[in-house]
Amino acid sequence: MQRRTFTALGAAAVVAGALPAPAFAQQQAAETYTWKNAVVNGGGFVPGIVFNETEPNLIYARTDIGGCYRWQEATRTWKPLLDWVGRDNWGWSGVVSMATDPVDTNRVYAAVGTYTTDWDPGNGAVLYSDNRGETWGAAELPFKQGGNMPGRGMGERLAVHPGKNYELYLGTPSGNGLWRSHNFGRSWSKVGNFPNPGNFVVDPTNPYSADNQGVLWIEFDQIGGNIYVGVADPDDPLYVSRDGGATWQPVPGAAAALGRADGNRTIPKQAAVDNTNGHLYIITSYDPGPYNGGPASGRGGRLLRLATQTGAWTDVTPPYNPGRAIPGFGGITVDRQNPGTLMASTCNNWGPDEILFRSTDSGATWQTSWDYSDDAGRVDRFTMDNTGSPWLSWNGQNEGDTYAVKHGWMIEALAIDPHDSDRIMWGTGATIWGTDNLTQWDTQGELVRRDASGRRLAQPVQKFTVGVRAEGVEETAVLDVAALGGTLVSAFGDIGGFVHTDLDRAEPMTRSDWSTATSVDFAHWNPNVIVGTGNPHDNGVGHVGVSTDRGRTWRAASPLAGVPGGGHAGVVAIAANASVILWSPSDTSVTPVRSTDLGATWTPVQGLPAGAKIRADRVDSPIWYAFSGGRFYRSTNGGANFTDTGASGLPTAGVDDFRVVPGHWGHIWLAGRGDEKLGIGGGMWRSQNGGSTWTRISAIETALSVGFGKAANGTAYPALYTSAEIAGKAAIYRSTDAGGTWQRINDDAHQWAFAGSAITGDPLIYGRVYLTTNGRGLIYGDIA
């Protein structure tokens, strides 16, 4: 098994080799860059939060595509730990599980790998660190792991043996069974006599859902010295070793206890041990999550308690879920300071909100985080304060029992601080919530009471506050970015997009109906006018949005007949003087359309194929450009008609981006990543005559993107930025001499896995660059 070591390095030197133009060679970077996030706070799924059981305030959080983080108590923020992951191993940014060593608390481990499908060409690994994630080594595994696959909120699949901390266990998917390390995670081998690799499959007809969920979690019973392992097999879901892992046996009664809920087949999603009372708690669900709602009928899961000393099973499922049957459970946690106190969460209770359950008597009785009453509607134990992430209202308003700011959804990370009963954190599909006043719950009593006639009446309670605990967690996929100078506009997956006027402050999201935004642009001579496109929730709402006041307010353009409200947003662009908007939907049956009234009406564009990429000239408003399938097009009448320029030598596929230079008529740069399956190479090309002829930039082997920023002192041409591969190194590069030479400006500590699918410089600040990532948010760099 291969092992590699990765250290957080400073700015990496790139060998100098500047040659006269047009050789376009690379030169050594002259400046060191500092890198930060444009602050959003949250934005993606946090499926795991892990507290160290022996050292206070040592907390880790894992995300499904954006790496993992360590809590910094002094600032109450999270520090990213996997920014060093580069493009060659981009799948390592999906974190399946984490484990923090209770003996040597400097040690931490992360099981990584994003997909078990062929979407990720690489295998998974277990990363190990002896300094809390400051530097890492990697034990590469001979199989894939699924940090962004169904079931990623189960576990933890990775565990340190508290009695012999050199020994770790790893539960794996895809039928690979249980694995073990005897040397602090440096090497791994399969536990050959573990009898059951699991068999539960969500949907065998769907490649994304067809994988065996496998071995789900490992828990240690410190009273009896037993090791318990949960398996995705409703008929055989739980195993125990009573001899330190030498042999394994099914736990009697487990199938009857864990395998069904109201007739629905269920699997054991998570477990938690109360080592004082000798209890193992297990939650089940009919679906591994995280997207499921409830089953067609009945409950989707149960909560079981196993007495580890006697083997007795007790069903301690909460008997009541406001308004419906329990859809299945997401997370479970026990209070180490108060044995017998535990909490659990529903998984996708959906409208009106998720439910947190709390018991202080080992599951004999339960209370809910909110309830219905006949006299006051919905009543709540706590108030949700989204000040830290104002966008968590999703631009909505409270509507009866459905609040704009919710407990969350996909709650599978749920953890009471083992050192402080008042602190809890939970992860959702968008953020981390938490409070430092949890035990106030226990002084409130019941939320409702019944009067003599049986009516449910609200009880007055003194609410406590739950607030955002995601500061520093920037886990979003960003698809496009535009820098206006003093204002940054962005298109985000899942959460629409943002207009940042202060990069250090989380802003409300763009006021649109988009779920995922895909493209943004602005009028070069009138940057108050901004356009964007995204996939709307409502089929009756247009894909394109327009702002005429620099992003402060937005209105939806008219919908386009024949384009449904789903994932067809494509690319939008606006003329330099804001006179024309062109929109090219990604629906291959719809050709690009044109509007001369800011999206009130649309007419078809002539001369372009469906799905063409479109851009406006940044100097001459009537001039427009388009690219599709190796052919380059130009319009001289405001985008009404396009003709093929006859240009040759451009790639026929594998081109994600082309951009037009501000201040230079007809200067266009095109970035190609290539397509290995089709045998098409990548690179970068430039045109200085409106796309009629092109020159290939010989130094650049592949390129994801290209963008422009303020020119360096003494030069007239904008600084160029790209996420590209030069001399075999995928990195972020800058040129200050129109592409004659290129400097690497990021370093090996700042690679962000697959970064820079869109990139731009700042028009007012020389050296500043903004780049998108697939899971680490919107990054910007400045010369130090």
Side-chain angles (χ1 to χ4, degrees):
M1 181 171 300
Q2 186 177 3
R3 285 168 43 192
R4 286 194 272 169
T5 303
F6 303 88
T7 305
L9 302 175
V14 180
V15 176
L19 300 176
F24 308 111
Q26 175 187 2
Q27 71 180 31
Q28 184 172 343
E31 302 98 356
T32 298
Y33 264 68
T34 60
W35 300 94
K36 297 176 67 177
N37 277 94
V39 173
V40 170
N41 289 337
F45 183 32
V46 180
I49 299 171
V50 179
F51 284 78
N52 188 279
E53 293 190 5
T54 54
E55 181 174 331
N57 302 320
L58 182 54
I59 316 166
Y60 295 92
R62 61 181 173 92
T63 70
D64 53 2
I65 62 171
C68 56
Y69 295 79
R70 187 183 70 241
W71 178 255
Q72 301 174 114
E73 180 70 16
T75 58
R76 295 175 70 82
T77 61
W78 297 90
K79 178 179 181 177
L81 301 179
L82 297 187
D83 283 357
W84 54 268
V85 173
R87 197 182 301 174
D88 289 346
N89 292 305
W90 64 264
W92 292 4
S93 61
V95 183
V96 178
S97 186
M98 292 193 76
T100 172
D101 192 326
V103 179
D104 181 351
T105 58
N106 287 323
R107 296 184 185 273
V108 64
Y109 304 88
V112 297
T114 300
Y115 296 107
T116 59
T117 65
D118 60 5
W119 300 348
D120 181 354
N123 283 332
V126 175
L127 308 181
Y128 51 85
S129 173
D130 299 336
N131 53 12
R132 304 176 186 233
E134 293 297 319
T135 60
W136 296 85
E140 299 187 34
L141 299 169
F143 50 81
K144 298 175 183 291
Q145 299 193 102
N148 198 35
M149 294 292 290
R152 55 194 181 270
M154 295 190 290
E156 295 289 324
R157 294 180 186 256
L158 184 61
V160 178
H161 196 306
K164 40 185 179 180
N165 69 319
Y166 57 83
E167 184 173 280
L168 288 85
Y169 285 88
L170 174 67
T172 71
S174 313
N176 290 303
L178 182 67
W179 286 62
R180 182 166 50 204
S181 170
H182 290 291
N183 58 359
F184 298 101
R186 270 61 176 173
S187 61
W188 292 81
S189 59
K190 187 174 183 178
V191 180
N193 63 346
F194 188 78
N196 190 349
N199 60 18
F200 188 93
V201 171
V202 179
D203 180 1
T205 66
N206 183 337
Y208 181 63
S209 304
D211 194 24
N212 174 9
Q213 292 292 305
V215 180
L216 307 179
W217 48 261
I218 301 96
E219 292 286 345
F220 299 94
D221 160 31
Q222 297 184 42
I223 295 177
N226 303 322
I227 308 172
Y228 289 94
V229 177
V231 176
D233 179 354
D235 298 321
D236 200 6
L238 185 64
Y239 285 80
V240 65
S241 175
R242 306 187 188 281
D243 53 12
T247 60
W248 302 87
Q249 301 82 37
V251 174
L258 304 175
R260 297 288 188 279
D262 291 348
N264 297 303
R265 297 175 77 240
T266 55
I267 57 175
K269 283 187 65 172
Q270 290 185 19
V273 177
D274 177 350
N275 279 308
T276 300
N277 292 310
H279 292 151
L280 174 68
Y281 295 96
I282 302 173
I283 56 171
T284 71
S285 180
Y286 85 106
D287 186 283
Y291 300 117
N292 58 289
S297 63
R299 292 175 300 171
R302 302 164 71 192
L303 200 165
L304 283 301
R305 186 182 72 206
L306 172 65
T308 57
Q309 299 304 294
T310 67
W313 287 95
T314 305
D315 188 338
V316 293
T317 306
Y320 171 69
N321 183 39
R324 66 185 57 150
I326 292 170
F329 288 97
I332 187 168
T333 181
V334 299
D335 185 343
R336 306 289 180 188
Q337 298 295 313
N338 290 294
T341 295
L342 66 152
M343 294 182 67
S345 67
T346 54
C347 186
N348 297 336
N349 203 52
W350 299 122
D353 210 342
E354 209 72 90
I355 297 287
L356 301 183
F357 298 99
R358 182 172 171 88
S359 173
T360 57
D361 54 13
S362 299
T365 62
W366 293 90
Q367 293 179 337
T368 59
S369 54
W370 63 270
D371 203 349
Y372 290 120
S373 72
D374 295 325
D375 59 336
R378 174 175 164 174
V379 290
D380 295 82
R381 292 191 180 278
F382 46 76
T383 300
M384 306 295 292
D385 178 5
N386 67 317
T387 303
S389 300
W391 56 270
L392 284 169
S393 67
W394 304 91
N395 291 326
Q397 303 293 325
N398 291 351
E399 297 181 6
D401 299 330
T402 301
Y403 299 165
V405 179
K406 297 177 171 61
H407 290 15
W409 59 96
M410 295 157 56
I411 299 178
E412 297 182 302
L414 179 72
I416 298 173
D417 188 337
H419 309 282
D420 182 356
S421 299
D422 266 318
R423 175 154 70 177
I424 189 173
M425 294 184 186
W426 70 84
T428 77
T431 192
I432 298 173
W433 292 107
T435 184
D436 298 314
N437 299 293
L438 178 60
T439 59
Q440 189 172 326
W441 180 316
D442 303 327
T443 67
Q444 295 170 334
E446 296 291 343
L447 286 174
V448 298
R449 63 177 177 84
R450 291 187 180 272
D451 66 8
S453 64
R455 295 178 67 231
R456 292 169 53 82
L457 304 180
Q459 298 272 63
V461 298
Q462 183 67 41
K463 294 183 182 180
F464 56 96
T465 299
V466 168
V468 173
R469 295 293 184 270
E471 286 81 355
V473 174
E474 299 290 343
E475 196 240 341
T476 46
V478 191
L479 303 181
D480 200 10
V481 60
L484 284 61
T487 302
L488 189 69
V489 185
S490 51
F492 275 64
D494 297 330
I495 58 175
F498 295 88
V499 178
H500 274 90
T501 56
D502 180 347
L503 297 175
D504 294 326
R505 183 183 69 224
E507 301 276 2
M509 69 170 58
T510 300
R511 284 198 168 272
S512 68
D513 191 55
W514 302 326
S515 54
T516 287
T518 58
S519 174
V520 290
D521 195 18
F522 65 96
H524 184 71
W525 299 123
N526 185 6
N528 287 328
V529 184
I530 305 170
V531 294
T533 185
N535 303 321
H537 297 281
D538 186 346
N539 284 353
V541 176
H543 286 73
V544 174
V546 181
S547 173
T548 57
D549 54 10
R550 212 175 177 86
R552 287 188 291 275
T553 62
W554 292 76
R555 66 174 180 82
S558 297
L560 185 64
V563 180
H568 303 288
V571 178
V572 69
I574 188 167
N577 65 358
S579 59
V580 174
I581 299 172
L582 260 60
W583 174 39
S584 181
S586 58
D587 188 322
T588 56
S589 66
V590 180
T591 56
V593 291
R594 177 178 183 263
S595 175
T596 57
D597 51 16
L598 296 180
T601 60
W602 299 99
T603 57
V605 168
Q606 301 301 313
L608 286 183
K613 300 182 187 301
I614 50 173
R615 302 289 179 202
D617 194 87
R618 292 307 209 187
V619 176
D620 197 348
S621 295
I623 307 300
W624 283 79
Y625 308 103
F627 175 83
S628 179
R631 302 172 69 184
F632 202 82
Y633 302 83
R634 183 169 61 237
S635 170
T636 59
N637 61 355
N641 303 86
F642 282 79
T643 57
D644 190 339
T645 65
S648 61
L650 296 178
T652 57
V655 173
D656 292 325
D657 199 19
F658 81 88
R659 302 281 172 163
V660 183
V661 181
H664 293 260
W665 183 93
H667 281 223
I668 311 161
W669 292 73
L670 184 144
R673 57 177 167 78
D675 190 319
E676 291 184 4
K677 292 182 179 179
L678 297 177
I680 297 172
M684 186 179 290
W685 292 259
R686 74 173 185 184
S687 173
Q688 295 176 305
N689 56 11
S692 294
T693 60
W694 294 81
T695 301
R696 192 177 190 279
I697 310 302
S698 59
I700 295 181
E701 295 153 8
T702 66
L704 299 180
S705 56
V706 63
F708 317 102
K710 184 179 180 181
N713 288 338
T715 64
Y717 206 79
L720 292 164
Y721 298 91
T722 182
S723 176
E725 187 172 324
I726 296 178
K729 179 61 180 179
I732 309 302
Y733 295 93
R734 186 191 70 204
S735 173
T736 59
D737 57 5
T741 57
W742 295 88
Q743 306 163 342
R744 183 187 179 192
I745 57 175
N746 70 322
D747 55 69
D748 284 352
H750 300 92
Q751 301 191 79
W752 315 285
F754 201 91
S757 60
I759 195 168
T760 185
D762 191 286
L764 302 181
I765 303 171
Y766 167 66
R768 176 171 288 182
V769 59
Y770 307 94
L771 58 102
T772 64
T773 73
N774 186 39
R776 268 289 286 120
L778 184 52
I779 299 288
Y780 72 98
D782 282 315
I783 299 170

